[in-house]
Each structure stands twice: as C-alpha cells, then as structure tokens.
Amino acid sequence: SSGINAEYGGTRDAINNDIYIYFLVTAAREGRVDAVKQYLKSAYYNKRHRGAVPPIDRLDSDEVGALHYAARYNHQAVMQLLVDFNANVNNPAQDDLTPLHYAARYTPKGTADMDFEETTVVDINAPLPPTKV
C-alpha cells in the first residue's frame, strides 16, 4: 500500500480513528459542547466499530479520554453530554485514574460529586451554531 496508509504505518480506519479521537478529546478539554455534539452526531461515531472500547471511551495519545478532560476542566455540560451518550465514568486512563478521580481531584470544592442531574441539560438535536471559516 502507498500514500498516507504506508507513510503512517496504519490503515485508513486507524488513522481516521486517531483523528476523530483527537477532535473529541480536544473539544471536551476546551468545553466545546457544540463540537462534542457534532462528533456524537457524526456518521463516524454512529457506524459500527470493531474493538472492545467504544469510540466515546477511547483514549488519546496521552492516555486520557474525553470525559477525563471534561472532568479535569470542570466542563459540566460536556460531562453531561458524554454521560448521556454512555461514556464510562469508571474508564481507567493514565495511572488507572477514572473520570470520577479527575472530578474529585480538580473540580471546585463542593461540586466533585458529579451529580449530573443538577447540571445543564444539552439537547443533542438542537441545531449547531454557524461555523466560523
């Protein structure tokens, strides 16, 4: 095989997976509800995937997942959205830390219980805002 697959030593699906995981964790880290929502509505996310780990729980190159980043930076709406889409709150990342560990460690005092019933509800079917070019 030639081109991008040979250059990066992987299949097109593996490369696409890495790109999408990068976009998801970056959006979660930055608190970009619109971008996380767009990823979760994408054809990539909704097609069948091989492997034991669902796309929403996959880790980036630093071995940290989207829900970990959202918890780390206290992005409550992103956390709610990811949990609504069945992100695993017990998904181990680097050093076996879970999103619950991140929430307990990094969220402001009194909010570390990750009580998602009290957070902002995000409508996944709401239209996305216009994209800046």
Side-chain angles (χ1 to χ4, degrees):
S1 173
S2 63
I4 192 168
N5 291 342
E7 183 178 344
Y8 290 99
T11 65
R12 186 172 304 279
D13 284 344
I15 293 166
N16 286 340
N17 179 61
D18 289 346
I19 291 168
Y20 277 98
I21 298 309
Y22 172 80
F23 286 140
L24 176 63
V25 297
T26 299
R29 183 178 59 240
E30 294 174 358
R32 302 251 341 264
V33 175
D34 58 330
V36 172
K37 186 190 303 185
Q38 186 172 9
Y39 170 80
L40 294 173
K41 292 172 81 171
S42 73
Y44 172 81
Y45 180 78
N46 290 302
K47 78 176 194 177
R48 289 190 157 186
H49 293 276
R50 294 182 178 93
V53 180
I56 201 167
D57 291 326
R58 293 199 179 134
L59 307 177
D60 67 5
S61 60
D62 293 323
E63 298 182 29
V64 179
L67 188 54
H68 295 85
Y69 282 118
R72 164 64 179 92
Y73 294 104
N74 198 28
H75 297 307
Q76 293 286 322
V78 173
M79 287 190 286
Q80 179 68 53
L81 182 59
L82 292 169
V83 169
D84 287 349
F85 271 78
N86 300 315
N88 181 358
V89 297
N90 294 308
N91 185 26
Q94 63 186 10
D95 300 329
D96 290 327
L97 297 177
T98 69
L100 292 174
H101 290 117
Y102 276 63
R105 180 180 286 179
Y106 295 111
T107 56
K109 187 175 181 177
T111 62
D113 62 354
M114 285 183 71
D115 185 1
F116 291 106
E117 298 301 316
E118 300 274 326
T119 59
T120 305
V121 175
V122 178
D123 180 4
I124 188 70
N125 295 313
L128 294 171
T131 305
K132 295 179 182 177
V133 179

